[in-house]
Amino acid sequence: MYKISVIPGDGIGPVVTGYAVSIVRELASRVGLSVEFVEAPAGDKIAAETGEALPRDSLKKIMASDACLKGPVGETAKDVIVFLRQKLDLYANIRPFKTYRGVKTYWSGVDFVIVRENTEDLYKGVEDVGRDHAVSLLVITRFGTARIAQVALNIANERRRRVTIVHKANVLTSYRFFRDVALEVLRQGGISVDEMYVDNAAYQLVVNPTIFDVILTPNMFGDILSDLAAGITGSIGLAGSANVGEDKGVFEPVHGSAPGLNPDYANPIATILSASYMLGWLGMSRRDERLSRVSKAIERAVESVLDEGRVLTPDLGGSSRGGEVSSAILNKALYNLNMEK
Ligand code: GGG
């Protein structure tokens, strides 16, 4: 039995996490997996009700679960996801970006992963604010950089074996340190390694995104470049992510809670893909092939739906509801699982 904690979140969060949970529940039962979902409220809404963005009871549920699926939270990101990354030492934030045939984009053939260091940099939260000043400490350690570089290396070895370290070494010595430590690790790996200033990386992502395979970057640059990368793929509604450490994982869409959007028309794919990454990670860490099969079935189903381009939410130029997209993905994933038999 696997226990999955679910943070429904704010805005469109409860609706998109609901679709992802339904898909996982249905597919898990088909391969004989027993999965229990435990709701762990966090975010703006629960903060308004209780005064706590991440109530103690929710934290307990998350820590006691095998993995957590998290919806977007509104203004309380710092108290929820940034806190969880620190508390559970989820040091690797893995964010894949791809273009699909049925989604209108300027570029085709884009396929890269941003590997974002997730516990250090300015997001460490070492800050001092007074009436006339505000200071945030930029923390980069050898330990933190070496372990995220190792993650980038491992991912590159499963892909096209190329890592681009993105930094700002010409201005900040902390980022020069990040670059140098990352280079030490990656040069031992027998893969192709290059480096780029973050400003140039932002430009190259817009004018030449197919050059990238794995981008390794500190926390804040990873946050910002992720939204840019999502824009290249047609919509931030397609970008899922994994926050993982040695034995814990929280999986979430890259997008925010979109409070102005009708939740019925929100794109659920980022959350559905995040659920697929969660099952893939759990399958590897628990050595359970059934989880990996469901994960792959979902990912392939998303790919088919987006390649066909017939059932798309308005962010992708379509007129379908999130529920129709979710059903189309579930049907294709069921087909994928049956075809394996
Ligand atoms: N990029 C859209 C968004 O609102 N993301 C939520 C957020 O800011 N999360 C904090 C983080 O990823 O560091």
Side-chain angles (χ1 to χ4, degrees), residues 17-183:
T17 51
Y19 291 136
V21 166
S22 305
I23 289 176
V24 173
R25 188 174 271 136
E26 181 65 37
L27 295 173
S29 72
R30 302 296 175 114
V31 296
L33 276 169
S34 167
V35 182
E36 185 193 352
F37 294 93
V38 184
E39 193 167 306
D44 294 3
K45 187 161 172 278
I46 196 80
E49 286 163 17
T50 67
E52 281 182 300
L54 181 57
R56 186 184 292 264
D57 185 53
S58 293
L59 180 59
K60 259 169 66 182
K61 287 175 180 166
I62 293 162
M63 292 182 75
S65 61
D66 293 290
C68 174
L69 180 66
K70 176 191 159 291
V73 298
E75 299 302 314
T76 43
K78 182 174 177 227
D79 299 323
V80 180
I81 187 61
V82 179
F83 173 82
L84 282 172
R85 290 169 184 157
Q86 298 284 338
K87 178 83 182 167
L88 307 180
D89 197 24
L90 309 173
Y91 62 88
N93 193 333
I94 301 161
R95 298 179 154 188
F97 296 94
K98 267 181 84 163
T99 48
Y100 299 91
R101 283 196 297 278
V103 175
K104 202 162 164 267
T105 49
Y106 188 80
W107 292 101
S108 59
V110 172
D111 181 0
F112 62 85
V113 179
I114 293 182
V115 176
R116 165 186 175 189
E117 199 292 320
N118 221 18
T119 54
E120 299 193 335
D121 199 348
L122 287 166
Y123 290 22
K124 186 86 185 165
V126 186
E127 296 186 305
D128 181 57
V129 182
R131 198 182 74 91
D132 297 317
H133 75 279
V135 178
S136 301
L137 202 64
L138 199 174
V139 180
I140 307 281
T141 67
R142 177 175 296 278
F143 173 74
T145 306
R147 66 179 179 170
I148 195 66
Q150 187 61 48
V151 171
L153 175 58
N154 296 345
I155 291 174
N157 270 320
E158 301 292 314
R159 296 174 47 90
R160 303 194 301 278
R161 308 190 77 236
R162 178 190 173 101
V163 176
T164 304
I165 308 167
V166 170
H167 55 74
K168 191 70 185 171
N170 57 337
V171 174
L172 288 161
T173 46
S174 313
Y175 291 134
R176 189 185 311 157
F177 181 79
F178 180 91
R179 189 261 325 261
D180 292 347
V181 174
L183 277 173

